[in-house]
Each structure stands twice: as C-alpha cells, then as structure tokens.
Amino acid sequence: MGTLHVVATPIGNLEDITLRAVRVLREADRILAEDTRHTGKLLKHLQVTTPMTSLHGHNEKGRLDRVLEWLDEGQTLALVSDAGTPAISDPGQVVVTAAREAGHRVSPVPGACAFVAAASAAGLPTDRLHFVGFLPGRPGRRRKVFEQVLPAGGTTAVYVSPHRMVKDLGIAIEVAGTDRRGCLCRELTKVYEEFDVGTLGALHARWSKKTPKGEMVLLIGPAD
Ligand code: SAM
C-alpha cells in the first residue's frame, strides 16, 4: 500500500511550514502540486528537489488512475496546493477520497489554513465556527447560504474576493442586520496583515470608500 500525505504549505509567510512538512516533501517519491511553478518556488526556498506532477481542479479526475497506480506500487506521495491546506477550498478532495477508498494510508501534515488563522486572532467567539469557504456565484445563492448559516449561532468564516467583498457584506447585512459584529481579515501572515473588527454596518461603510485588495477572510460573529 502507498501513502498519501496531505501537506499544508504557507498562506503568505514562508516561515509558516512545519519541520515535518519539509521532511515529508523531501522524502516523498513525488509531490502532487496544484501549480508546479508556484510550488517550485517554495521547494527551491526549502532546498527540496523531489519531482512534481501537477494536480489541479481541472485534471484531478483525469490523473486519478495514474495517482492510484503510484500508490499501488507503494509510492509515498505528498499532496500540496498553492497555499494553506489542500482540499480546503482547494483541489485534493477527489484524490484523497479515492486513495482512502482504495485502502491506502492517507495522512495529514497540518499547518496553515486561512480561516483557522483568521478565527484564531480576530477576537470573535470560536466555540462554534461555520466554515462556508467560497460563496456560490449567483447573488441569490450567496444570500441563501447566509440565510442558512447566519441564524445558526457561532461565527461564520467566508473566503471573499476583493471585488465582491463589499457586495457580500451588503448581503450579510440584509440577512443578519447592521449591528452584527464581524471582522475582515486581510493578507494574513504577510506585510500588510490587517484585522478590521466592527459591526457589519461599520465595515460596509468603511470598505465602500476603499478599493479592497489582497486575500481576505470575512468572519461574521454570532447574534448577541
Ligand atoms: N486551502 C487554503 C486554506 O487552507 O485556507 C484556501 C485556498 S483558497 C483557493 C484561497 C482563499 O483563501 C483566498 O481567496 C482567501 O479568501 C483565503 N486566503 C488565503 N490566504 C490568505 C491570507 N494570507 N489572508 C487572508 N485570506 C487568505
């Protein structure tokens, strides 16, 4: 039986990689990477020379047979995405499920994950945390997700894009009201890291006047 390691990589700061991740990447027979050019830079930084094969959202199903053959041969594979934890709003889940169903060992090498980093430092309640990931494309469906999750209590974590973030805040306000607390967590672990905490109304007013940039997680706190 083979082994598939699911390896978290940094979400910005290159120091955010574990000692175990570096060893696993170095010792693996092959690294399955979302973008080999992107991961190539990280590997160069870590002085890891393990061969890479691309495995992204568009070829994940097509590559499955080959990946299972490698595992059947007893190979050790390391799965990485461009940033953070693979299979969390990133490619990987198809391979992970298939490897597990085929009886191979699938083992996580935990590390950076944007919504966990955001929730850990924002100061909103974390006893119940709903991870929504990316919202669906159509505004009606985006609203429906908020309608399902926001009344449930706990803090909700959403991966938002800079050009839709203000609109998403607007939809959240329609569902949860202006007084609900939230936090816009931007560029985590990078030079311009920012946690903007306030009511959804205040966040909406502030960010409507700016041009939002960078990677961001929107946290919406529970109703009081
Ligand atoms: N697998 C990743 C993880 O473990 O968090 C998520 C990958 S997903 C394709 C990328 C999204 O994660 C971004 O659009 C943003 O919402 C969030 N994200 C990633 N890095 C971030 C960072 N440094 N600061 C804030 N949000 C980040």
Side-chain angles (χ1 to χ4, degrees):
M1 288 289 111
T3 299
L4 177 67
H5 288 294
V6 184
V7 183
T9 56
I11 57 168
N13 189 322
L14 287 184
E15 290 176 347
D16 291 336
I17 184 138
T18 67
L19 296 174
R20 182 166 162 241
V22 178
R23 181 180 57 73
V24 165
L25 291 172
R26 188 165 285 140
E27 291 177 358
D29 293 301
R30 187 177 301 274
I31 295 170
L32 307 174
E34 180 181 6
D35 179 340
T36 52
R37 279 200 342 196
H38 185 95
T39 299
K41 289 179 197 154
L42 176 69
L43 296 187
K44 196 169 172 212
H45 174 77
L46 300 172
Q47 298 181 325
V48 169
T49 55
T50 309
M52 279 186 286
T53 298
S54 88
L55 190 110
H56 47 71
H58 299 295
N59 73 0
E60 197 174 5
K61 285 191 182 141
R63 283 271 152 93
L64 197 53
D65 287 348
R66 194 74 195 95
V67 171
L68 290 175
E69 274 172 27
W70 287 326
L71 290 170
D72 286 341
E73 288 165 11
Q75 290 198 23
T76 297
L77 307 179
L79 172 70
V80 299
S81 59
D82 285 354
T85 304
I88 303 298
S89 294
D90 258 343
Q93 209 222 301
V94 171
V95 166
V96 165
T97 303
R100 192 167 278 293
E101 280 173 1
H104 297 290
R105 178 174 169 239
V106 182
S107 176
V109 181
C113 180
F115 85 89
V116 175
S120 71
L124 293 171
T126 50
D127 49 339
R128 259 206 279 175
L129 197 54
H130 307 282
F131 174 58
V132 165
F134 290 111
L135 292 167
R138 293 208 212 125
R141 296 209 175 150
R142 299 164 95 75
R143 190 190 163 97
K144 202 155 211 159
V145 172
F146 281 143
E147 284 171 351
Q148 284 165 351
V149 177
L150 295 186
T155 292
T156 299
V158 191
Y159 285 167
V160 284
S161 77
H163 63 278
R164 280 213 284 221
M165 183 271 286
V166 173
K167 275 194 187 142
D168 288 340
L169 267 173
I171 302 174
I173 286 170
E174 283 168 25
V175 175
T178 50
D179 292 338
R180 187 77 77 96
R181 286 183 74 69
C183 182
L184 187 72
C185 314
R186 213 172 62 79
E187 294 287 87
L188 299 176
T189 76
K190 304 185 200 174
V191 175
Y192 296 106
E193 177 179 274
E194 178 182 12
F195 285 84
D196 190 1
V197 188
T199 63
L200 295 184
L203 289 175
H204 189 268
R206 262 199 299 279
W207 285 94
S208 301
K209 292 188 204 119
K210 300 187 194 181
T211 310
K213 281 189 192 144
E215 296 193 285
M216 39 189 85
V217 181
L218 175 63
L219 297 178
I220 301 168
D224 283 337

